[in-house]
Amino acid sequence: MRTSERVRYSRFPVESGALTPVASPADVARRATATDATPRIVFVICVLAVAARLIFINQPYVDHWSWRQSDVATIARNFLQNGFRFGHPQIDWAGNAPGYVGTEFPILPFIAAVCYKFAGVHEWIGRIQAVILFAVSLPFFFLLVREIFGSTAAVWASFFFCFTPLNVFAGRSFMPDVPSLSLAIVGLYLFLRWVEHGKSSSFFVAAIAISLSLLIKITSIIIVVPLVYLMCADMSALSKAATCRRIPKLLLFVSIALLPSAIWYWHAYQIAEKFYPHHFFGAGGIRIESFSSYRQIAQQTLTSSLTPLLSLMAVIGLLVAPRMKYSRFFQWWLAAMVLFVIVLGYGNRHLWYQLPLVPIAAAFAGAACAFVASKISSRVIAVTLSILLVSSFTTLAFWYVQPFYQSSAAQLRDAGLELKKVTPPDALIVAADMGDPTIFYYAERKGWHFLETDAIYNGNPDDSEQAIENLERLRRRGATHFVFTKNTFWWLQSYPEFVAHLTNNAKVIEATPEFRIYELITVAR
């Protein structure tokens, strides 16, 4: 063998008579921690995770996120009933106006509407989409963590990711957040694969997955930060010529990932500008809040969303995570999330905005577990600690996830179903519903929240005079019915002049401990 050949092949040790490439440090770490049982363990975790999300899969939209899910469900049913006009999603709380609004790319309600056509309208059809896309993301999340922190960390990270309370509940909700996050995870892993191996298939699927993620929920734009980190980490190891060859492909990737979202959200903005109630979903979320608001967000995230145990382990993992190639990937993602929470302080009053913290925390917690495992030589101790950790986290997750399922809008659903029975299809409902559209969804009627300004819920009345003025304005616009629900019964004592005015201009047609429905005396418009 010539000297040049010996130099070329010196990187390839002989194994069983064959030439085998030397593994990278990341490969060595993965093989050192991998076991034959890893695929089976991950498979069991995934099956149990999907099963957990199928519990109450047909639950009505009455939980603590009822209003957001009811909006999405209303858009789906309006696609079914009013023609499949994909570019014109409709809500029902704009009174007698069509109710076209600017929303995220409405692929989820559109698919639900198509399914409704064959299977009828059922809550599980909307919810199952999040379950399916969550399940699709699981192997990609495992592989992503394995590439960065090793197999042991990936197994533990998958466990935490699957059973974190916020992710369990969001993973069966008819909302775009979990589908968007799931596609983002798929895209991030495949982009990492393209960076490492240069395969065109990984490149294009990653670009399409990220494009869909941003279309479904634009707040996923924060993944641009870890993507840029991967690009920079990759190009820093390349020659100048190789870097120049990469630039056109990166520009193509950016075009595929971002251009569809730019087109859609411009269209959605135009819809909101053109049609009453001139509403763009998520508008107004960008706002710096007070320190107390951020403290409350942090407290909720670290306890009820992630559990204190996962939060603690994530902090430990952040400190002890192995320093390998791309090891700062999750740190950059975390930094982007912290900035996101600060800038969108008002929007982050909704817990689902912090959903991307779940895979980040899970990955760091997995790294912490791998670090501890590397320090334990006794198998008995390792197994004992693993059982203790699994049982503790499972118990905490079960404890913290229960409140998410508790009903906060059952009375709205009951009132809606009754309105469907006692009012004609063209009735226009005025609902003192605290801004939750669940009542309109189950009534299958259009109307207004009360109080309202340009159809947008405007809170409780300052006094009876304001309530009377608001009601009379809506009566002139064709309102036919008014409804109180249990959560606004206190108005009956707080606004006596308004109640007297309502009594003189309407009659009670249904009264229960949950709601009270009035038929309004119509006025000339």
Side-chain angles (χ1 to χ4, degrees):
M1 182 178 291
R2 296 193 299 271
T3 302
S4 61
E5 291 177 324
R6 284 198 299 272
V7 171
R8 188 168 69 235
Y9 286 112
S10 64
R11 296 174 56 249
F12 295 81
V14 178
E15 288 186 6
S16 304
L19 295 175
T20 307
V22 170
S24 67
D27 291 332
V28 172
R30 288 197 297 272
R31 292 171 186 173
T33 55
T35 68
D36 291 338
T38 296
R40 294 194 296 273
I41 294 171
V42 174
F43 178 76
V44 171
I45 290 172
C46 293
V47 170
L48 292 175
V50 171
R53 285 155 178 80
L54 294 177
I55 297 172
F56 302 132
I57 193 64
N58 206 35
Q59 181 187 20
Y61 303 123
V62 296
D63 53 58
H64 284 278
W65 298 357
S66 60
W67 67 271
R68 187 64 174 91
Q69 297 179 86
S70 293
D71 264 341
V72 179
T74 298
I75 291 170
R77 193 177 58 216
N78 281 332
F79 276 142
L80 174 68
Q81 294 178 347
N82 302 331
F84 289 82
R85 300 185 64 190
F86 188 88
H88 289 73
Q90 291 175 274
I91 45 82
D92 283 346
W93 37 265
N96 49 0
Y100 298 125
V101 289
T103 72
E104 304 95 349
F105 193 64
I107 186 65
L108 300 175
F110 190 85
I111 290 173
V114 172
C115 294
Y116 291 166
K117 198 169 184 65
F118 300 99
V121 179
H122 302 285
E123 282 88 349
W124 68 265
I125 292 176
R127 296 184 184 280
I128 201 67
Q129 294 178 83
V131 178
I132 292 171
L133 285 169
F134 163 77
V136 168
S137 73
L138 291 180
F140 293 94
F141 178 70
F142 170 80
L143 293 170
L144 179 63
V145 179
R146 191 182 71 173
E147 285 289 327
I148 296 171
F149 291 147
S151 290
T152 299
V155 172
W156 281 106
S158 297
F159 168 68
F160 293 125
F161 178 66
C162 285
F163 298 106
T164 300
L166 179 62
N167 202 20
V168 170
F169 186 72
R172 37 78 71 193
S173 298
F174 192 11
M175 294 168 58
D177 300 82
V178 162
S180 177
L181 177 62
S182 299
L183 289 166
I185 289 170
V186 172
L188 287 170
Y189 171 71
L190 291 176
F191 185 79
L192 175 59
R193 292 289 294 175
W194 174 72
V195 165
E196 288 192 318
H197 304 288
K199 291 185 178 180
S200 295
S201 57
S202 297
F203 175 88
F204 285 107
V205 177
I208 292 169
I210 289 173
S211 179
L212 285 172
S213 173
L214 299 179
L215 281 165
I216 291 173
K217 188 81 173 185
I218 191 58
T219 52
S220 290
I221 195 72
I222 60 169
I223 64 170
V224 166
V225 174
L227 283 173
V228 170
Y229 164 74
L230 291 176
M231 292 180 194
C232 295
D234 173 53
M235 289 192 290
S236 66
L238 297 176
S239 66
K240 186 176 180 180
T243 300
C244 291
R245 289 194 297 270
R246 277 270 168 115
I247 290 176
K249 266 213 161 184
L250 290 174
L251 292 176
L252 177 60
F253 185 92
V254 171
S255 298
I256 296 172
L258 298 183
L259 188 57
S261 292
I263 294 171
W264 171 259
Y265 286 107
W266 174 252
H267 165 76
Y269 176 76
Q270 295 301 313
I271 291 291
E273 286 289 298
K274 183 177 180 180
F275 295 100
Y276 182 86
H278 311 295
H279 182 67
F280 192 92
F281 276 44
I286 301 177
R287 191 171 79 193
I288 303 296
E289 292 291 289
S290 64
F291 176 78
S292 61
S293 296
Y294 292 115
R295 183 176 60 188
Q296 183 179 4
I297 291 171
Q299 182 180 355
Q300 289 179 327
T301 301
L302 297 176
T303 55
S304 60
S305 296
L306 300 179
T307 75
L309 178 59
L310 176 58
S311 300
L312 175 63
M313 296 195 63
V315 172
I316 295 172
L318 180 63
L319 299 175
V320 303
R323 298 292 183 259
M324 296 189 296
K325 190 177 182 182
Y326 308 126
S327 62
R328 295 191 182 277
F329 173 86
F330 287 103
Q331 292 175 350
W332 280 100
W333 197 358
L334 175 61
M337 267 304 300
V338 171
L339 182 62
F340 170 80
V341 172
I342 293 172
V343 174
L344 273 76
Y346 185 67
N348 272 277
R349 70 192 187 281
H350 304 309
L351 291 179
W352 56 81
Y353 274 77
Q354 295 106 55
L355 191 63
L357 282 172
V358 174
I360 299 169
F364 282 124
C369 291
F371 175 80
V372 173
S374 68
K375 305 299 181 182
I376 299 174
S377 58
S378 170
R379 180 174 175 81
V380 174
I381 294 176
V383 171
T384 302
L385 290 177
S386 296
I387 293 173
L388 180 62
L389 178 57
V390 169
S391 57
S392 299
F393 179 73
T394 304
T395 301
L396 285 171
F398 178 75
W399 175 265
Y400 281 109
V401 81
Q402 289 184 81
F404 285 102
Y405 290 85
Q406 292 175 3
S407 172
S408 65
Q411 71 276 14
L412 299 177
R413 176 176 179 267
D414 293 342
L417 293 173
E418 188 63 26
L419 283 164
K420 185 178 178 180
K421 293 179 184 177
V422 302
T423 63
D426 61 349
L428 292 175
I429 311 300
V430 179
D433 57 6
M434 307 297 288
D436 189 329
T438 301
I439 196 167
F440 297 109
Y441 174 71
Y442 284 103
E444 297 186 37
R445 301 291 185 267
K446 294 182 179 295
W448 297 269
H449 299 300
F450 193 76
L451 300 177
E452 61 85 38
T453 298
D454 291 332
I456 306 301
Y457 175 62
N458 196 33
N460 298 319
D462 293 331
D463 50 40
S464 290
E465 183 180 354
Q466 183 187 20
I468 292 170
E469 185 278 327
N470 201 287
L471 177 61
E472 287 306 301
R473 175 159 43 84
L474 295 178
R475 285 178 70 206
R476 288 191 294 271
R477 296 185 61 177
T480 60
H481 293 78
F482 185 95
V483 57
F484 283 114
T485 57
K486 187 177 181 180
N487 55 353
T488 53
F489 276 175
W490 61 271
W491 287 24
L492 300 174
Q493 285 75 43
S494 299
Y495 307 110
E497 294 86 358
F498 170 68
V499 174
H501 177 83
L502 185 61
T503 302
N504 292 331
N505 291 274
K507 63 177 181 178
V508 177
I509 60 173
E510 193 70 39
T512 74
E514 298 295 314
F515 56 83
R516 181 176 295 185
I517 300 172
Y518 296 80
E519 183 176 359
L520 299 173
I521 299 172
T522 57
V523 297
R525 284 184 277 176

